[in-house]
């Protein structure tokens, strides 16, 4: 590369590098530095205080765990992941496969995908209505089934508020899962399925022994993207419960907001932001590895 080409390349890259430095790199470095500053000194006290906080609305981990929430935002996020990831993977895969052979599948897919296109605030309001005892479908179903504990408004009780948010988020994210699995199913050679049918395989055997293994790369992406989405989730929690009642539905992003906007403790908010970013980087690293591996192949 001659001197003129190097200058052209530098001039081409300079504007995006400047924008990236101002709006991405500088805020990240500033947040990390801010998280280590406490009373004018450089220390880990902000991290210690946010990790040992015992007020439910700000706690990351409560030391005294009860059978029902609040347990602390970090545990709430973990429970959210443990429930939503298997649900999103299984429902997404099954719906994408079954709806290919069902009449009226476009309407069902449109309903599922609606959660993806709605703004977060609107989605939050829909979730509130879904679990309201007067108009919500879930309380009404359990009222018919004779389960009084679940026939009330889920979002105003500590025992059910977190579960309502998790179930609502599964509906919101299911459209993403179904879309990826539908694209993955299109990439499976039809000759493979036809050969299995000729050999006498049942639909269940085809699904379990051909479809599921062939969709393994898609499943990995769905799992990683769902984990990252759950770790960053904020808007529906803010709209539906605000982290309550009594801190029973707080999440990491909500705790960060509490420190930043409610109590104006910016250094602690930065500490929570760094913890959240580090947790998000783990699945993000594996996702980037998969993308780069796919490009090399």
């Amino acid at each position: 590369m001659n001197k003129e080409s190097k200058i052209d390349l530098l001039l081409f890259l300079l504007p995006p590098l400047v924008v990236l430095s101002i709006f991405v790199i500088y805020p990240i470095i500033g947040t990390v530095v801010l998280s280590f500053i406490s009373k004018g000194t450089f220390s880990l006290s902000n991290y210690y205080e946010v990790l040992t906080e015992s007020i439910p609305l700000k706690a990351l981990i409560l030391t005294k765990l009860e059978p029902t929430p609040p347990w602390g935002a970090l545990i709430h996020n973990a429970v959210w992941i443990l429930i939503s990831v298997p649900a999103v993977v299984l429902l997404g895969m099954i719906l994408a496969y079954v709806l290919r052979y069902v009449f009226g599948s476009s309407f069902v897919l449109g309903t599922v995908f609606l959660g993806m296109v709605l703004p977060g605030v609107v989605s939050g309001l829909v979730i509130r209505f879904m679990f309201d005892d007067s108009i919500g479908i879930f309380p009404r179903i359990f009222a018919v089934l004779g389960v009084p504990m679940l026939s009330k408004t889920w979002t105003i009780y500590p025992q059910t508020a977190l579960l309502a948010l998790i179930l609502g988020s599964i509906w919101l994210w299911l459209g993403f899962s179904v879309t990826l699995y539908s694209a993955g199913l299109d990439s499976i050679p039809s000759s493979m399925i036809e050969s299995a049918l000729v050999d006498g395989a049942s639909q269940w055997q085809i699904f379990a022994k051909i479809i599921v293994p062939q969709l393994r790369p898609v499943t990995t992406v769905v799992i990683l993207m769902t984990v990252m989405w759950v770790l960053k989730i904020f808007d529906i929690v803010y709209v539906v419960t605000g982290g309550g009642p009594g801190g029973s539905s707080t999440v990491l992003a909500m705790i960060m907001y509490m420190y930043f906007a409610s109590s104006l403790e910016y250094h602690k908010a930065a500490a929570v932001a760094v913890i959240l970013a580090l947790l998000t980087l783990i699945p993000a690293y594996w996702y980037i590895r998969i993308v780069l591996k796919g490009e090399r192949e």
Side-chain angles (χ1 to χ4, degrees):
M1 184 180 292
N2 56 39
K3 187 177 179 180
E4 289 185 355
S5 299
K6 290 181 179 178
I7 293 174
D8 290 341
L9 181 62
L10 183 62
L11 290 174
F12 177 76
L13 292 176
L14 189 59
L17 286 176
V18 170
V19 173
L20 196 67
S21 301
I22 294 174
F23 293 104
V24 179
I25 297 175
Y26 173 71
I28 290 175
I29 295 174
T31 302
V32 173
V33 172
L34 194 66
S35 70
F36 285 102
I37 296 175
S38 176
K39 298 176 182 176
T41 59
F42 209 71
S43 69
L44 291 171
S45 61
N46 290 320
Y47 289 93
Y48 176 78
E49 289 176 15
V50 298
L51 287 171
T52 58
E53 178 60 67
S54 59
I55 300 173
L57 274 172
K58 290 183 178 179
L60 297 188
I61 302 173
L62 285 176
T63 53
K64 187 180 178 182
L65 296 181
E66 301 289 341
T68 57
W71 298 315
L74 205 54
I75 298 178
H76 294 165
N77 272 103
V79 171
W80 203 313
I81 289 170
L82 288 174
I83 295 176
S84 64
V85 168
V88 167
V89 168
L90 290 175
L91 290 175
M93 189 184 297
I94 293 171
L95 276 175
Y97 181 67
V98 171
L99 290 178
R100 295 166 70 89
Y101 308 103
V102 175
F103 175 76
S105 60
S106 300
F107 174 76
V108 178
L109 283 173
T111 307
V112 171
F113 198 73
L114 189 63
M116 287 290 298
V117 299
L118 288 176
V121 176
V122 178
S123 301
L125 290 175
V126 173
I127 292 173
R128 286 191 68 167
F129 293 144
M130 286 168 66
F131 295 96
D132 187 272
D133 62 349
S134 58
I135 57 174
I137 186 167
F138 283 91
R140 295 213 166 187
I141 289 174
F142 284 103
V144 172
L145 295 175
V147 185
M149 183 182 172
L150 298 176
S151 60
K152 55 192 179 184
T153 300
W154 289 30
T155 53
I156 62 173
Y157 291 94
Q159 297 86 355
T160 51
L162 182 64
L163 183 60
L165 287 169
I166 293 172
L167 294 178
S169 73
I170 290 171
W171 164 64
L172 293 181
W173 196 242
L174 195 56
F176 169 81
S177 173
V178 172
T179 303
L180 285 195
Y181 279 121
S182 296
L185 287 169
D186 290 337
S187 67
I188 298 175
S190 58
S191 58
M192 193 179 292
I193 297 173
E194 290 167 0
S195 299
L197 288 171
V198 170
D199 292 338
S202 64
Q203 285 295 331
W204 168 248
Q205 288 173 321
I206 292 173
F207 180 76
K209 298 186 177 180
I210 296 178
I211 300 299
V212 173
Q214 289 291 320
L215 290 176
R216 192 173 297 155
V218 179
T219 301
T220 306
V221 173
V222 170
I223 291 173
L224 293 175
M225 293 296 289
T226 306
V227 171
M228 286 191 284
W229 184 69
V230 170
L231 285 172
K232 296 185 299 180
I233 205 159
F234 170 78
D235 45 7
I236 63 168
V237 179
Y238 182 77
V239 172
V240 177
T241 65
S248 60
S249 61
T250 55
V251 290
L252 285 169
M254 194 73 206
I255 296 292
M256 182 180 66
Y257 174 80
M258 292 284 190
Y259 277 119
F260 180 81
S262 296
S263 57
L264 306 181
E265 296 175 278
Y266 304 125
H267 299 83
K268 291 182 181 178
V272 177
V274 171
I275 293 171
L276 178 57
L278 290 175
L279 291 174
T280 309
L281 282 176
I282 297 171
Y285 168 75
W286 287 107
Y287 177 73
I288 292 170
R289 277 193 61 179
I290 291 170
V291 171
L292 293 177
K293 184 180 177 183
E295 288 181 351
R296 283 197 295 268
E297 291 174 350

